[in-house]
Amino acid sequence: MEKLRIAVIPLVRSTFDVNEGTRVFKEQINILQNIDTNTDWIFPTSTIEYVENLKSFYRTIQKEPVDGIILLSATFHLGDLALHISRDFPTVPIMCWAVPEPPYNGGRVRLNSLVGAHLDFSNLYRAGRNDLIFAYGYANDPDFSKKLLNWLMALRAIKTLKNCKIGLLGGRARSFVNVDVYEPELYKELGVLVEPILLEELFNFSVDKEELENEIQKYTNLYKLVASLDKEKLEKVARLKIMLEKLYKISKVHALAIRCWPEFANYYGISPCAAMSSNMAEGRIMACEGDVLGALTMVIFKAIGCEEFYLADISQIFETGHLLLWHCGVAAHNLWDQRSERHLDTYFAGGKGVTAGFVLKPGTVTLARLDYIRNHWILFVYETEAIQTDQELKGTYVKVAAKNPVKFVESLIEKGFAHHIVMAYGSYSSTLKTLAQLKGWGVYDSNC
């Protein structure tokens, strides 16, 4: 997880109770340092009233870039402070923080913090800043700390994506125009680079006998092997798993988007599904069918602390209020429900499929996809439950709940989203929505 540097700048005006504002500032800093220990909190020794006071603190935060700035409205203050900070740090996301008013002293408003933060946010927003967030409360208030942690996680995702490289192995799948990506726009928006990789580069890796035998044994221990999976196919699966792992490491990518058909089955002899599944279980992100933005969505989940996710199709609608999330065998084997049988099968691609097969575990899940549709970035996000599912199919799959599954699918399709979504275990919708707010993305949160 990325370590952050966050600058906290306490702003005041001497016509208000600066002593109380300074006390609040110091108290809140102590709490912040305990809320997120994976963040370096950078702050001045005293509150700041004038633009001139900012200059010495600038030297501190310009030595090493900061990932976010919190403007703490310790008392009401003039709006030029925030405007100068915004001008000097035009790409650093800003939180405008207001604290509650303390008891009145002689009939006077002592801090007027809320108005100061409101002024800052309004000024910055009208001046064109989109990467803003407003927060109210003390640092140890549950609602405030939740909002703060969501903001910090969103900043971690932004920082990860600025240095992100996704390998596009073999290109996208044939006719899948909807998972194509315009690379200059992706780099402009997020700093993400896409590196094309020829399939021949993968197939040219050598694998020594000992590591191959070890990998074969792992598959044998994990899965029941169907009769059609002969020794040659099993060896190809194990070899491909190792080759993909080597390519991932040598290319220094955050994820691989793989054109998994038809070339693998036609020229290598098997499809890569089971080999991708094993790599996913070991923390290497791999997306089917050359889906770069599907891979990127999984990178985002990992950046915000999720380790369990799965790229899937919405394959079926049930009258019981459920959807089937299915793909032909790429889910990480550590997502297994521990009830179904885990098997390797060859049921598609003319017997060259070699896919993992099992049911995924139940639990709270977040469905999401970042997509680029008609020149706009849009994030789909929906929290629901994966339910215990009987094993009736080949491949990897699970059912998830939806209040109105037909309307859910209709609306998702009619918004133009690609046919792959990511299912991640855990509750991440608030963090994803915060990320979208900071980036100015549209958000589609189905209430179906």
Side-chain angles (χ1 to χ4, degrees), residues 17 26 53 68 120 141 174 191 209 221 240 244 263 283-284 291 302 333 343 348 356 389 395 418 426 442:
D17 192 342
K26 292 180 178 179
N53 302 144
D120 288 343
D141 292 345
R174 182 183 299 164
K209 183 177 180 181
N221 293 339
L240 184 55
L244 284 169
E263 289 81 9
R284 289 176 284 278
D291 185 356
K302 189 169 185 177
H333 58 71
H343 54 260
F348 80 101
T389 304

mmCIF file of all heavy atoms in Angstrom, residues 17 26 53 68 120 141 174 191 209 221 240 244 263 283-284 291 302 333 343 348 356 389 395 418 426 442:
data_model
loop_
_atom_site.group_PDB
_atom_site.id
_atom_site.type_symbol
_atom_site.label_atom_id
_atom_site.label_comp_id
_atom_site.label_asym_id
_atom_site.label_seq_id
_atom_site.Cartn_x
_atom_site.Cartn_y
_atom_site.Cartn_z
ATOM 1 N N ASP A 17 -11.044 33.761 17.833
ATOM 2 C CA ASP A 17 -10.305 33.207 18.972
ATOM 3 C C ASP A 17 -9.165 32.323 18.459
ATOM 4 O O ASP A 17 -9.294 31.104 18.373
ATOM 5 C CB ASP A 17 -11.256 32.415 19.867
ATOM 6 C CG ASP A 17 -10.638 32.047 21.209
ATOM 7 O OD1 ASP A 17 -9.397 32.089 21.314
ATOM 8 O OD2 ASP A 17 -11.393 31.688 22.125
ATOM 9 N N LYS A 26 -3.738 21.670 17.252
ATOM 10 C CA LYS A 26 -2.756 20.760 17.850
ATOM 11 C C LYS A 26 -3.416 19.468 18.330
ATOM 12 O O LYS A 26 -2.861 18.372 18.170
ATOM 13 C CB LYS A 26 -2.026 21.460 18.996
ATOM 14 C CG LYS A 26 -1.124 22.592 18.523
ATOM 15 C CD LYS A 26 -0.409 23.285 19.676
ATOM 16 C CE LYS A 26 0.524 24.384 19.167
ATOM 17 N NZ LYS A 26 1.214 25.094 20.276
ATOM 18 N N ASN A 53 3.034 34.162 5.668
ATOM 19 C CA ASN A 53 3.350 33.059 6.589
ATOM 20 C C ASN A 53 3.453 31.713 5.869
ATOM 21 O O ASN A 53 4.063 30.763 6.379
ATOM 22 C CB ASN A 53 2.283 32.948 7.682
ATOM 23 C CG ASN A 53 2.134 34.214 8.486
ATOM 24 O OD1 ASN A 53 1.041 34.577 8.887
ATOM 25 N ND2 ASN A 53 3.242 34.922 8.724
ATOM 26 N N GLY A 68 -1.658 15.186 -0.823
ATOM 27 C CA GLY A 68 -2.916 15.847 -0.525
ATOM 28 C C GLY A 68 -2.675 17.003 0.432
ATOM 29 O O GLY A 68 -1.677 17.018 1.156
ATOM 30 N N ASP A 120 -13.623 28.810 1.443
ATOM 31 C CA ASP A 120 -12.510 28.193 0.702
ATOM 32 C C ASP A 120 -13.015 27.281 -0.405
ATOM 33 O O ASP A 120 -12.562 27.354 -1.557
ATOM 34 C CB ASP A 120 -11.625 27.384 1.661
ATOM 35 C CG ASP A 120 -10.795 28.264 2.573
ATOM 36 O OD1 ASP A 120 -10.646 29.463 2.272
ATOM 37 O OD2 ASP A 120 -10.296 27.744 3.589
ATOM 38 N N ASP A 141 -14.381 11.880 15.394
ATOM 39 C CA ASP A 141 -15.788 11.597 15.120
ATOM 40 C C ASP A 141 -15.873 10.475 14.085
ATOM 41 O O ASP A 141 -15.170 10.519 13.059
ATOM 42 C CB ASP A 141 -16.498 12.835 14.559
ATOM 43 C CG ASP A 141 -16.634 13.952 15.576
ATOM 44 O OD1 ASP A 141 -16.442 13.673 16.776
ATOM 45 O OD2 ASP A 141 -16.916 15.094 15.165
ATOM 46 N N ARG A 174 -10.870 -10.452 -30.437
ATOM 47 C CA ARG A 174 -11.456 -10.148 -31.742
ATOM 48 C C ARG A 174 -12.889 -9.642 -31.599
ATOM 49 O O ARG A 174 -13.712 -10.282 -30.925
ATOM 50 C CB ARG A 174 -11.445 -11.417 -32.602
ATOM 51 C CG ARG A 174 -11.987 -11.243 -34.005
ATOM 52 C CD ARG A 174 -11.999 -12.564 -34.727
ATOM 53 N NE ARG A 174 -10.660 -13.114 -34.853
ATOM 54 C CZ ARG A 174 -10.407 -14.391 -35.163
ATOM 55 N NH1 ARG A 174 -11.397 -15.227 -35.345
ATOM 56 N NH2 ARG A 174 -9.164 -14.802 -35.279
ATOM 57 N N GLY A 191 -2.284 9.009 -15.897
ATOM 58 C CA GLY A 191 -0.850 8.739 -15.916
ATOM 59 C C GLY A 191 -0.528 7.280 -16.178
ATOM 60 O O GLY A 191 0.623 6.850 -16.030
ATOM 61 N N LYS A 209 13.112 -27.849 -15.652
ATOM 62 C CA LYS A 209 12.353 -29.056 -15.312
ATOM 63 C C LYS A 209 11.859 -29.051 -13.879
ATOM 64 O O LYS A 209 10.715 -29.429 -13.594
ATOM 65 C CB LYS A 209 13.234 -30.288 -15.565
ATOM 66 C CG LYS A 209 12.523 -31.614 -15.327
ATOM 67 C CD LYS A 209 13.420 -32.777 -15.659
ATOM 68 C CE LYS A 209 12.707 -34.107 -15.429
ATOM 69 N NZ LYS A 209 13.602 -35.271 -15.731
ATOM 70 N N ASN A 221 -2.442 -31.030 -6.533
ATOM 71 C CA ASN A 221 -2.916 -30.944 -5.149
ATOM 72 C C ASN A 221 -4.188 -30.105 -5.033
ATOM 73 O O ASN A 221 -5.042 -30.369 -4.177
ATOM 74 C CB ASN A 221 -1.829 -30.343 -4.251
ATOM 75 C CG ASN A 221 -0.618 -31.246 -4.116
ATOM 76 O OD1 ASN A 221 -0.699 -32.453 -4.353
ATOM 77 N ND2 ASN A 221 0.514 -30.665 -3.748
ATOM 78 N N LEU A 240 2.748 -22.604 -18.739
ATOM 79 C CA LEU A 240 2.202 -21.296 -19.057
ATOM 80 C C LEU A 240 2.067 -20.442 -17.796
ATOM 81 O O LEU A 240 2.321 -19.231 -17.830
ATOM 82 C CB LEU A 240 0.840 -21.443 -19.735
ATOM 83 C CG LEU A 240 0.163 -20.162 -20.213
ATOM 84 C CD1 LEU A 240 1.073 -19.358 -21.142
ATOM 85 C CD2 LEU A 240 -1.170 -20.481 -20.901
ATOM 86 N N LEU A 244 3.842 -16.823 -17.654
ATOM 87 C CA LEU A 244 3.115 -15.596 -17.361
ATOM 88 C C LEU A 244 3.697 -14.886 -16.142
ATOM 89 O O LEU A 244 3.823 -13.655 -16.115
ATOM 90 C CB LEU A 244 1.639 -15.907 -17.125
ATOM 91 C CG LEU A 244 0.794 -16.196 -18.373
ATOM 92 C CD1 LEU A 244 -0.569 -16.752 -17.976
ATOM 93 C CD2 LEU A 244 0.628 -14.940 -19.223
ATOM 94 N N GLU A 263 -5.596 -17.426 -30.183
ATOM 95 C CA GLU A 263 -4.214 -17.811 -30.485
ATOM 96 C C GLU A 263 -3.648 -18.821 -29.487
ATOM 97 O O GLU A 263 -2.869 -19.708 -29.862
ATOM 98 C CB GLU A 263 -3.317 -16.571 -30.530
ATOM 99 C CG GLU A 263 -3.550 -15.663 -31.731
ATOM 100 C CD GLU A 263 -4.732 -14.736 -31.541
ATOM 101 O OE1 GLU A 263 -5.277 -14.675 -30.413
ATOM 102 O OE2 GLU A 263 -5.109 -14.087 -32.533
ATOM 103 N N GLY A 283 -1.402 -12.946 -6.447
ATOM 104 C CA GLY A 283 -1.363 -11.487 -6.386
ATOM 105 C C GLY A 283 -1.022 -10.782 -7.672
ATOM 106 O O GLY A 283 -0.862 -9.548 -7.679
ATOM 107 N N ARG A 284 -0.910 -11.497 -8.776
ATOM 108 C CA ARG A 284 -0.619 -10.874 -10.063
ATOM 109 C C ARG A 284 -1.936 -10.686 -10.822
ATOM 110 O O ARG A 284 -2.620 -11.659 -11.129
ATOM 111 C CB ARG A 284 0.374 -11.735 -10.860
ATOM 112 C CG ARG A 284 1.779 -11.718 -10.274
ATOM 113 C CD ARG A 284 2.733 -12.640 -11.003
ATOM 114 N NE ARG A 284 2.518 -14.034 -10.660
ATOM 115 C CZ ARG A 284 3.010 -14.640 -9.573
ATOM 116 N NH1 ARG A 284 3.763 -13.970 -8.731
ATOM 117 N NH2 ARG A 284 2.772 -15.910 -9.334
ATOM 118 N N ASP A 291 -8.836 -6.749 -21.837
ATOM 119 C CA ASP A 291 -9.637 -5.700 -21.223
ATOM 120 C C ASP A 291 -8.773 -4.829 -20.308
ATOM 121 O O ASP A 291 -8.629 -5.101 -19.110
ATOM 122 C CB ASP A 291 -10.793 -6.336 -20.442
ATOM 123 C CG ASP A 291 -11.758 -5.303 -19.876
ATOM 124 O OD1 ASP A 291 -11.494 -4.097 -20.030
ATOM 125 O OD2 ASP A 291 -12.771 -5.725 -19.275
ATOM 126 N N LYS A 302 -6.973 -3.034 -5.654
ATOM 127 C CA LYS A 302 -5.785 -3.403 -4.894
ATOM 128 C C LYS A 302 -5.174 -2.183 -4.206
ATOM 129 O O LYS A 302 -4.712 -2.271 -3.066
ATOM 130 C CB LYS A 302 -4.758 -4.071 -5.808
ATOM 131 C CG LYS A 302 -3.575 -4.689 -5.063
ATOM 132 C CD LYS A 302 -2.739 -5.563 -5.970
ATOM 133 C CE LYS A 302 -1.635 -6.267 -5.187
ATOM 134 N NZ LYS A 302 -0.849 -7.186 -6.046
ATOM 135 N N HIS A 333 -7.951 -19.205 -7.163
ATOM 136 C CA HIS A 333 -8.455 -20.370 -6.423
ATOM 137 C C HIS A 333 -8.651 -20.090 -4.934
ATOM 138 O O HIS A 333 -9.364 -20.836 -4.250
ATOM 139 C CB HIS A 333 -7.551 -21.591 -6.630
ATOM 140 C CG HIS A 333 -6.126 -21.399 -6.238
ATOM 141 N ND1 HIS A 333 -5.702 -21.289 -4.929
ATOM 142 C CD2 HIS A 333 -5.003 -21.314 -6.995
ATOM 143 C CE1 HIS A 333 -4.396 -21.153 -4.894
ATOM 144 N NE2 HIS A 333 -3.939 -21.144 -6.137
ATOM 145 N N HIS A 343 -11.957 -28.284 -9.932
ATOM 146 C CA HIS A 343 -11.481 -29.182 -10.988
ATOM 147 C C HIS A 343 -10.878 -28.385 -12.140
ATOM 148 O O HIS A 343 -11.172 -27.199 -12.319
ATOM 149 C CB HIS A 343 -12.612 -30.075 -11.509
ATOM 150 C CG HIS A 343 -13.830 -29.317 -11.953
ATOM 151 N ND1 HIS A 343 -14.954 -29.186 -11.179
ATOM 152 C CD2 HIS A 343 -14.097 -28.642 -13.104
ATOM 153 C CE1 HIS A 343 -15.852 -28.471 -11.826
ATOM 154 N NE2 HIS A 343 -15.351 -28.129 -12.991
ATOM 155 N N PHE A 348 -14.184 -26.356 -23.367
ATOM 156 C CA PHE A 348 -14.422 -25.486 -24.520
ATOM 157 C C PHE A 348 -13.154 -25.396 -25.361
ATOM 158 O O PHE A 348 -12.147 -26.024 -25.067
ATOM 159 C CB PHE A 348 -14.923 -24.098 -24.082
ATOM 160 C CG PHE A 348 -13.852 -23.159 -23.604
ATOM 161 C CD1 PHE A 348 -13.365 -22.157 -24.420
ATOM 162 C CD2 PHE A 348 -13.321 -23.288 -22.327
ATOM 163 C CE1 PHE A 348 -12.384 -21.293 -23.983
ATOM 164 C CE2 PHE A 348 -12.345 -22.423 -21.878
ATOM 165 C CZ PHE A 348 -11.868 -21.423 -22.715
ATOM 166 N N ALA A 356 -10.021 -23.481 -14.780
ATOM 167 C CA ALA A 356 -10.350 -23.819 -13.405
ATOM 168 C C ALA A 356 -11.868 -23.845 -13.268
ATOM 169 O O ALA A 356 -12.582 -23.127 -13.977
ATOM 170 C CB ALA A 356 -9.751 -22.796 -12.452
ATOM 171 N N THR A 389 -23.878 -20.594 -3.550
ATOM 172 C CA THR A 389 -24.353 -21.015 -4.868
ATOM 173 C C THR A 389 -24.040 -22.485 -5.104
ATOM 174 O O THR A 389 -22.928 -22.948 -4.814
ATOM 175 C CB THR A 389 -23.683 -20.155 -5.962
ATOM 176 O OG1 THR A 389 -23.936 -18.773 -5.700
ATOM 177 C CG2 THR A 389 -24.204 -20.514 -7.344
ATOM 178 N N GLY A 395 -16.516 -23.815 -15.091
ATOM 179 C CA GLY A 395 -16.003 -22.463 -14.975
ATOM 180 C C GLY A 395 -16.063 -21.986 -13.534
ATOM 181 O O GLY A 395 -16.333 -22.761 -12.611
ATOM 182 N N ALA A 418 -18.966 -1.671 -20.798
ATOM 183 C CA ALA A 418 -18.461 -2.926 -21.370
ATOM 184 C C ALA A 418 -19.035 -4.108 -20.587
ATOM 185 O O ALA A 418 -19.507 -3.965 -19.452
ATOM 186 C CB ALA A 418 -16.941 -2.946 -21.332
ATOM 187 N N GLY A 426 -15.734 -7.221 -0.097
ATOM 188 C CA GLY A 426 -15.618 -6.137 0.859
ATOM 189 C C GLY A 426 -16.481 -4.963 0.458
ATOM 190 O O GLY A 426 -17.115 -4.947 -0.606
ATOM 191 N N GLY A 442 -18.110 10.789 -13.751
ATOM 192 C CA GLY A 442 -19.496 10.450 -13.478
ATOM 193 C C GLY A 442 -19.576 9.158 -12.702
ATOM 194 O O GLY A 442 -18.710 8.288 -12.830
#
